[in-house]
Amino acid sequence: MAMISASVLNGDLAHLAETAQTVRESGADALHYDVMDGMFVDNLSFGLPVLSSLRPCTDLPVDVHLMIQNPLKFISRFVKAGADLLSFHIESSSDTVQTLRAIQEAGIPAGIAVSPDTPVSVLNPLLPLLRPQDFILLMTVYPGLGGQAFLPQVLPKIAELRQMLRAADISAHIQVDGGINDRTGAQCREAGADYLVAGSYLLGAEDPAEAVRLLRG
Ligand code: DX5
Ligand code: ZN
């Protein structure tokens, strides 16, 4: 059964605490919080002060996805603001190993995010650094916007990464993010993903709890 993280990016941001409550009641495992800096992606979302305000409003883990140019500079501040899981992009300008270590040393699960055009082979030297609680986030849309269509060309990358992890006997998770619904979620699970992020599908569902059940498989 896959774990589910609900992205609040396309929710009603004037009522984030209520959205967090909806996510809680849906039975999702975590709340996915997308940070964009207008440089790494061509969009802006929310950052540290909003996370600090949201943190006491939910007892769900907050899964922070940094789509920012210099994640290393901000790791300790996001941890302090309440991130319970923290992922950053391998395509960012921060040193990947240093950034990964900074998150691990903070004592929370660390994720390395990979955009659709980056091959998973770049992860080979990094996999031995992953602990069982850490994860690779394979983007199934180009980062920067919620509500985009799933990119099926990422499916073979999920299968390839699952195979790489198996061969190296590493039990880190594979998270997928972007355009995930009951159908694409099932395809990702079949390919080897065990952690699904869903935004518009989950929060737009008439019955979010049913959406979570379908996503889990
Ligand atoms: C895209 C974000 C995703 C997005 C998911 O840049 O990283 O987390 O909000 O939203 P949906 O599920 O609507 O594609
Ligand atoms: Zn995301």
Side-chain angles (χ1 to χ4, degrees):
M1 235 175 37
M3 289 185 291
I4 310 299
S5 192
S7 169
V8 295
L9 183 62
N10 276 16
D12 179 355
L13 298 179
H15 300 95
L16 207 40
E18 285 160 35
T19 304
Q21 185 56 27
T22 304
V23 171
R24 180 88 185 82
E25 286 163 8
S26 76
D29 302 286
L31 188 149
H32 186 83
Y33 185 89
D34 287 303
V35 181
M36 305 178 187
D37 66 351
M39 292 199 296
F40 182 73
V41 291
D42 189 20
N43 204 357
L44 294 163
S45 58
F46 29 58
L48 290 162
V50 176
L51 179 59
S52 301
S53 301
L54 174 65
R55 185 56 283 196
C57 301
T58 180
D59 55 4
L60 278 180
V62 181
D63 162 30
V64 176
H65 175 195
L66 297 178
M67 288 165 275
I68 66 176
Q69 197 56 45
N70 190 355
L72 181 56
K73 186 175 166 195
F74 290 96
I75 297 304
S76 59
R77 280 180 267 180
F78 273 100
V79 171
K80 206 164 156 226
D84 298 287
L85 296 86
L86 197 42
S87 60
F88 67 98
H89 274 261
I90 193 165
E91 302 89 2
S92 73
S93 52
S94 296
D95 180 83
T96 303
V97 173
Q98 254 183 297
T99 311
L100 183 69
R101 290 242 155 89
I103 302 170
Q104 291 175 330
E105 277 161 21
I108 61 172
I112 303 176
V114 178
S115 291
D117 292 339
T118 304
V120 287
S121 55
V122 299
L123 294 165
N124 257 319
L126 300 164
L127 296 185
L129 306 178
L130 299 178
R131 308 162 302 176
Q133 66 268 41
D134 295 331
F135 59 102
I136 302 293
L137 191 184
L138 292 183
M139 290 301 298
T140 42
V141 297
Y142 289 99
L145 274 180
Q148 302 181 75
F150 179 80
L151 297 172
Q153 64 264 36
V154 183
L155 288 168
K157 284 174 63 180
I158 302 172
E160 187 185 349
L161 177 61
R162 179 51 72 198
Q163 181 48 36
M164 284 160 61
L165 288 168
R166 222 176 261 140
D169 199 22
I170 290 162
S171 57
H173 301 283
I174 300 179
Q175 191 182 64
V176 286
D177 181 13
I180 301 295
N181 56 35
D182 50 347
R183 189 178 45 81
T184 59
Q187 292 174 329
C188 290
R189 289 196 317 270
E190 231 159 83
D194 60 355
Y195 203 159
L196 274 46
V197 177
S200 36
Y201 169 71
L202 202 163
L203 287 176
E206 220 161 275
D207 181 356
E210 175 64 6
V212 168
R213 272 193 293 278
L214 292 171
L215 287 169
R216 278 196 203 288

